[in-house]
Amino acid sequence: MTTSSRYFVWNENTLCYQAEGDSRLGVLHGSVIRGGRNWRDGCFTPTAGDVLRDATLEDFREYRCQPPRGLFSDGGDVA
C-alpha cells in the first residue's frame, strides 16, 4: 500500500485500498455495525451494485487508520 494506491470507501462501511494495476480491493478497516468487510477475509472484487467513493482524511479518522504520508496535502496525521 503506497501512495500509488487508491483509497476508497466501499458501500459506506469499509475503508479500502486498490493497488495500482489490480482490480481487487483490499480492506483496511470495516465497520461491523454497518455491515463492513473484515480485513482477515482478504481482497475482494467489487460488483456493479457496489458504491465506491474516494476516501477522505475524515474517513481515515473515522476508521482509525493512518493514511500514507503524502496522500493528503496537510500531512495526513490522524491524531
Side-chain angles (χ1 to χ4, degrees), residues 4 7 11-12 18 24 39 46 48 54 56 60 67 73 75-76 78-79:
S4 64
Y7 298 87
N11 291 341
E12 293 302 321
Q18 183 178 42
R24 299 171 301 155
W39 62 268
D54 289 331
T56 65
F60 279 88
S73 61
V78 173

Side-chain angles (χ1 to χ4, degrees), residues 23-70:
S23 62
R24 299 171 301 155
L25 298 178
V27 175
L28 292 173
H29 192 276
S31 170
V32 175
I33 295 171
R34 291 184 272 168
R37 290 183 166 267
N38 190 324
W39 62 268
R40 293 179 186 160
D41 294 335
C43 295
F44 68 99
T45 302
T47 64
D50 292 330
V51 177
L52 288 173
R53 65 170 175 80
D54 289 331
T56 65
L57 182 56
E58 187 56 39
D59 293 319
F60 279 88
R61 287 184 179 125
E62 181 177 340
Y63 290 100
R64 298 181 179 186
C65 292
Q66 182 69 35
R69 184 174 295 173

Side-chain angles (χ1 to χ4, degrees), residues 6-10 14-18 25-28 44:
R6 296 182 59 198
Y7 298 87
F8 301 97
V9 173
W10 174 79
T14 307
L15 181 62
C16 301
Y17 66 92
Q18 183 178 42
L25 298 178
V27 175
L28 292 173
F44 68 99

